[in-house]
Amino acid sequence: MSEIASLVAAIRSALASAACPANAEPMQRYMKSAMPFHGVKLDALRRLVRPLVAAHPLPDRAAWEEAVRTLYDEASFREERYAAIEVAAHRLYRRYRDADALDLWAHLITTGAWWDLVDAVTALVDEALRADPDAVRPVVLRWSTADDLWLRRSAIISQLRGKADTDTDLLTTVIDANVAGTPFGSEFFIRKAIGWALRQYARTDPAWVLAFVAERGDLLSGLTRREALKHLAG
């Protein structure tokens, strides 16, 4: 059995063994998921998966990507997709989470097409953006105007951990591409993402966020403004 097949089989077996039917239906209902759940919560899943990834090292980038895609694309339970993201994010493969991984991230985002998966993958986009902004920034800009809701959401929240290193020109551009009157500007997950991105940056530069929100006026929805200013009231 190949290294890829061994890792995938070990993860699937561990998840099946840890299944909790009492959790499965509520989790599936909460996520509005067509795919069933085993009922393994995320903290427990991470405790299961991370040692298995370490115990089944993959030889190169191609094998790592194939393992991620196999777990994600051939998933029978949603936790297998979460596990695929854990493989992608494991410390052993930090060197692969660069600009060359963006096609893989885009695939996971567009095929996952729901906030739990998209937001988890976007943390990896964030990592690549901070490591190599010159290469990743143009891709994030393209995503912000893509014909795909979830790529746009990912672009908007791609700097949540940026703090003082946040590229405010990039943040401005990806938000302005998705305000009221733009193709996806009325979508809940876009409006919420803009508010989240601004709220997060307000922890670093509240004056910038206050000015941004004031300048955009009604281009930002009520939801967006409430989220952006949540910790700035008073």
Side-chain angles (χ1 to χ4, degrees):
M1 185 180 292
S2 72
E3 296 97 332
I4 298 166
S6 294
L7 174 59
V8 170
I11 289 173
R12 287 174 175 164
S13 176
L15 291 173
S17 296
C20 179
N23 291 337
E25 184 179 348
M27 290 170 72
Q28 183 177 1
R29 186 168 59 248
Y30 174 72
M31 282 299 168
K32 301 179 181 178
S33 174
M35 188 180 294
F37 277 77
H38 279 304
V40 181
K41 294 187 176 180
L42 191 56
D43 286 348
L45 182 146
R46 287 171 172 158
R47 290 194 295 271
L48 284 172
V49 170
R50 288 174 178 174
L52 292 174
V53 178
H56 296 81
L58 300 167
D60 52 33
R61 178 189 285 268
W64 166 76
E65 180 166 340
E66 184 177 342
V68 172
R69 286 179 179 267
T70 298
L71 277 166
Y72 200 87
D73 293 346
E74 299 178 12
S76 298
F77 294 86
R78 198 170 187 88
E79 287 94 341
E80 292 171 29
R81 289 193 157 181
Y82 299 153
I85 297 170
E86 291 300 314
V87 174
H90 196 277
R91 58 179 176 77
L92 288 177
Y93 307 115
R94 183 175 290 115
R95 65 192 182 279
Y96 301 148
R97 296 194 294 274
D98 55 18
D100 290 338
L102 290 170
D103 285 347
L104 174 59
W105 302 156
H107 172 75
L108 302 184
I109 288 166
T110 55
T111 57
W114 198 243
W115 66 265
D116 57 332
L117 299 168
V118 171
D119 294 358
V121 175
T122 301
L124 307 179
V125 178
D126 183 326
E127 183 178 344
L129 179 60
R130 286 181 289 116
D132 191 357
D134 289 343
V136 178
R137 190 179 193 276
V139 177
V140 171
L141 286 170
R142 288 200 300 273
W143 288 4
S144 73
T145 59
D147 190 23
D148 183 276
L149 163 69
W150 300 105
L151 286 175
R152 286 177 179 248
R153 178 178 170 90
S154 182
I156 293 163
I157 61 172
S158 64
Q159 297 191 86
L160 290 179
R161 295 182 293 177
K163 297 183 179 179
D165 293 327
T166 296
D167 179 343
T168 54
D169 287 340
L170 176 60
L171 182 61
T172 296
T173 302
V174 300
I175 290 175
D176 283 345
N178 290 283
V179 294
T182 62
F184 292 89
S186 63
E187 292 283 351
F188 170 81
F189 287 108
I190 293 296
R191 294 184 289 120
K192 186 81 169 180
I194 295 172
W196 186 13
L198 292 170
R199 183 178 79 239
Q200 208 54 15
Y201 188 54
R203 300 176 188 275
T204 298
D205 193 342
W208 188 94
V209 172
L210 284 167
F212 184 95
V213 171
E215 288 167 4
R216 296 309 180 279
D218 290 342
L219 290 174
L220 302 179
S221 72
L223 169 63
T224 296
R225 290 195 298 274
R226 287 192 300 275
E227 288 292 316
L229 304 177
K230 183 176 288 186
H231 303 301
L232 301 180

